[in-house]
Amino acid sequence: MGDDRTLTEPVLRARPEPSQLTKDARWMVLIVLLALVVQHFGATWSTGFSHAGTQTTITSSPWVAWTLTTIGFAVVGSVVAIARRGAVRFDEHTVMGLALAGVVGTTVLVWLLIPVEMTWVQWAVEHGDPHPFVFGNVHVVSRYADYTG
Protein backbone atom coordinates (compact mmCIF):
# COMPACT_ATOMS: atom_id res chain seq x y z
CA MET A 1 0.00 0.00 0.00
CA GLY A 2 2.43 2.59 1.12
CA ASP A 3 5.50 3.22 3.11
CA ASP A 4 4.97 2.15 6.75
CA ARG A 5 7.27 4.87 8.09
CA THR A 6 4.89 7.63 7.09
CA LEU A 7 2.07 6.03 9.04
CA THR A 8 3.98 6.07 12.34
CA GLU A 9 4.88 9.76 12.17
CA PRO A 10 2.49 11.82 14.31
CA VAL A 11 0.47 14.41 12.49
CA LEU A 12 0.88 17.02 15.22
CA ARG A 13 4.04 17.17 17.24
CA ALA A 14 3.59 17.63 20.97
CA ARG A 15 4.90 20.91 22.29
CA PRO A 16 7.54 20.53 24.95
CA GLU A 17 6.37 21.25 28.49
CA PRO A 18 7.80 24.53 29.87
CA SER A 19 10.44 24.09 32.54
CA GLN A 20 9.76 24.77 36.19
CA LEU A 21 12.01 27.83 35.94
CA THR A 22 9.80 29.22 33.17
CA LYS A 23 6.71 28.61 35.28
CA ASP A 24 8.40 30.27 38.29
CA ALA A 25 9.36 33.26 36.14
CA ARG A 26 5.78 33.67 34.93
CA TRP A 27 4.51 33.58 38.50
CA MET A 28 7.21 36.07 39.51
CA VAL A 29 6.03 38.55 36.88
CA LEU A 30 2.45 38.21 38.08
CA ILE A 31 3.44 38.59 41.75
CA VAL A 32 5.64 41.63 41.01
CA LEU A 33 2.76 43.35 39.20
CA LEU A 34 0.42 42.56 42.09
CA ALA A 35 3.01 43.81 44.60
CA LEU A 36 3.41 47.09 42.70
CA VAL A 37 -0.35 47.65 42.76
CA VAL A 38 -0.48 46.91 46.49
CA GLN A 39 2.50 49.24 47.07
CA HIS A 40 0.73 51.98 45.12
CA PHE A 41 -2.27 51.80 47.42
CA GLY A 42 -0.03 51.56 50.49
CA ALA A 43 2.11 54.54 49.56
CA THR A 44 -0.80 56.85 48.73
CA TRP A 45 -2.13 58.49 51.86
CA SER A 46 -2.77 61.91 53.31
CA THR A 47 -3.36 63.34 56.76
CA GLY A 48 -3.48 66.72 58.39
CA PHE A 49 -3.38 68.22 61.84
CA SER A 50 -3.18 71.57 63.61
CA HIS A 51 -0.63 72.55 66.23
CA ALA A 52 0.15 75.97 67.70
CA GLY A 53 -1.60 77.90 64.96
CA THR A 54 -0.01 75.90 62.17
CA GLN A 55 -2.04 73.73 59.83
CA THR A 56 0.16 70.87 58.58
CA THR A 57 -0.80 68.56 55.74
CA ILE A 58 1.20 65.41 55.06
CA THR A 59 0.74 63.61 51.75
CA SER A 60 2.46 60.53 50.43
CA SER A 61 2.60 59.21 46.91
CA PRO A 62 4.23 56.15 45.34
CA TRP A 63 8.01 56.46 45.33
CA VAL A 64 10.13 55.40 42.38
CA ALA A 65 12.75 53.88 44.71
CA TRP A 66 10.29 51.31 46.10
CA THR A 67 9.23 50.37 42.57
CA LEU A 68 12.82 50.00 41.39
CA THR A 69 13.74 47.99 44.48
CA THR A 70 10.85 45.59 43.89
CA ILE A 71 11.65 45.15 40.21
CA GLY A 72 15.35 44.86 41.05
CA PHE A 73 14.73 41.94 43.42
CA ALA A 74 12.78 40.16 40.69
CA VAL A 75 15.28 40.81 37.90
CA VAL A 76 18.38 39.97 39.93
CA GLY A 77 16.66 36.88 41.32
CA SER A 78 15.73 35.70 37.83
CA VAL A 79 19.23 36.27 36.45
CA VAL A 80 20.86 34.47 39.37
CA ALA A 81 18.31 31.66 39.11
CA ILE A 82 19.22 31.15 35.45
CA ALA A 83 22.91 31.14 36.36
CA ARG A 84 22.36 28.66 39.22
CA ARG A 85 20.21 26.30 37.16
CA GLY A 86 20.93 22.71 38.13
CA ALA A 87 23.25 23.63 41.01
CA VAL A 88 23.38 21.35 44.02
CA ARG A 89 23.09 24.17 46.57
CA PHE A 90 21.04 27.29 46.00
CA ASP A 91 19.41 25.95 42.87
CA GLU A 92 17.08 28.02 40.71
CA HIS A 93 14.02 27.28 42.86
CA THR A 94 15.72 28.46 46.03
CA VAL A 95 16.97 31.62 44.35
CA MET A 96 13.53 32.39 42.91
CA GLY A 97 12.07 31.86 46.38
CA LEU A 98 14.56 34.35 47.83
CA ALA A 99 13.73 36.84 45.09
CA LEU A 100 10.04 36.40 45.86
CA ALA A 101 10.77 37.00 49.54
CA GLY A 102 12.51 40.25 48.57
CA VAL A 103 9.51 41.38 46.51
CA VAL A 104 7.00 40.55 49.23
CA GLY A 105 9.28 41.98 51.93
CA THR A 106 9.55 45.30 50.11
CA THR A 107 5.77 45.46 49.80
CA VAL A 108 5.32 44.71 53.51
CA LEU A 109 7.94 47.36 54.34
CA VAL A 110 6.03 49.98 52.35
CA TRP A 111 2.86 49.16 54.30
CA LEU A 112 4.66 49.14 57.65
CA LEU A 113 6.14 52.56 56.97
CA ILE A 114 2.71 54.18 56.64
CA PRO A 115 2.01 54.57 60.39
CA VAL A 116 5.69 55.15 61.15
CA GLU A 117 5.94 58.02 58.67
CA MET A 118 2.67 59.58 59.86
CA THR A 119 3.65 59.36 63.51
CA TRP A 120 7.19 60.63 62.92
CA VAL A 121 6.13 63.68 60.91
CA GLN A 122 3.40 64.61 63.36
CA TRP A 123 5.76 64.23 66.33
CA ALA A 124 8.53 66.23 64.64
CA VAL A 125 6.25 69.11 63.64
CA GLU A 126 4.69 69.26 67.09
CA HIS A 127 8.18 69.45 68.60
CA GLY A 128 9.36 72.35 66.46
CA ASP A 129 10.82 70.81 63.32
CA PRO A 130 8.65 72.09 60.43
CA HIS A 131 10.57 70.06 57.83
CA PRO A 132 11.55 66.68 59.32
CA PHE A 133 13.53 64.04 57.45
CA VAL A 134 11.15 61.93 55.36
CA PHE A 135 11.44 59.51 52.50
CA GLY A 136 11.12 60.94 49.00
CA ASN A 137 7.47 60.08 48.70
CA VAL A 138 6.28 62.13 51.72
CA HIS A 139 5.54 65.83 51.34
CA VAL A 140 4.93 68.11 54.32
CA VAL A 141 3.12 71.40 53.78
CA SER A 142 2.72 73.80 56.72
CA ARG A 143 0.42 76.83 56.62
CA TYR A 144 0.92 79.40 59.32
CA ALA A 145 -1.91 81.49 60.77
CA ASP A 146 -2.24 85.01 59.41
CA TYR A 147 -1.72 87.42 62.31
CA THR A 148 -2.50 90.62 60.39
CA GLY A 149 -6.02 90.63 61.71
Side-chain angles (χ1 to χ4, degrees):
M1 294 259 257
D3 193 3
D4 289 338
R5 287 182 292 166
T6 58
L7 298 176
T8 60
E9 188 71 27
V11 178
L12 296 174
R13 296 192 187 275
R15 293 178 55 186
E17 188 69 25
S19 70
Q20 186 62 40
L21 182 61
T22 304
K23 293 176 185 176
D24 290 349
R26 289 177 184 166
W27 276 107
M28 180 66 82
V29 169
L30 181 66
I31 291 169
V32 166
L33 291 175
L34 182 64
L36 291 176
V37 168
V38 170
Q39 285 180 20
H40 175 76
F41 288 117
T44 306
W45 53 267
S46 178
T47 186
F49 61 94
S50 296
H51 177 71
T54 304
Q55 176 66 32
T56 303
T57 304
I58 310 161
T59 57
S60 175
S61 58
W63 194 23
V64 175
W66 295 126
T67 303
L68 292 177
T69 301
T70 303
I71 293 172
F73 274 124
V75 169
V76 169
S78 298
V79 169
V80 173
I82 291 169
R84 299 291 299 174
R85 197 169 193 179
V88 176
R89 291 183 52 197
F90 290 105
D91 64 342
E92 65 268 21
H93 308 298
T94 304
V95 173
M96 287 298 273
L98 291 172
L100 179 63
V103 168
V104 172
T106 304
T107 304
V108 169
L109 180 65
V110 168
W111 275 88
L112 289 177
L113 285 176
I114 295 169
V116 172
E117 286 176 325
M118 279 195 226
T119 305
W120 159 247
V121 172
Q122 185 169 356
W123 181 88
V125 170
E126 287 177 353
H127 286 83
D129 187 3
H131 302 289
F133 169 79
V134 291
F135 288 112
N137 62 329
V138 179
H139 306 284
V140 180
V141 177
S142 296
R143 285 182 228 92
Y144 300 97
D146 186 12
Y147 293 109
T148 59

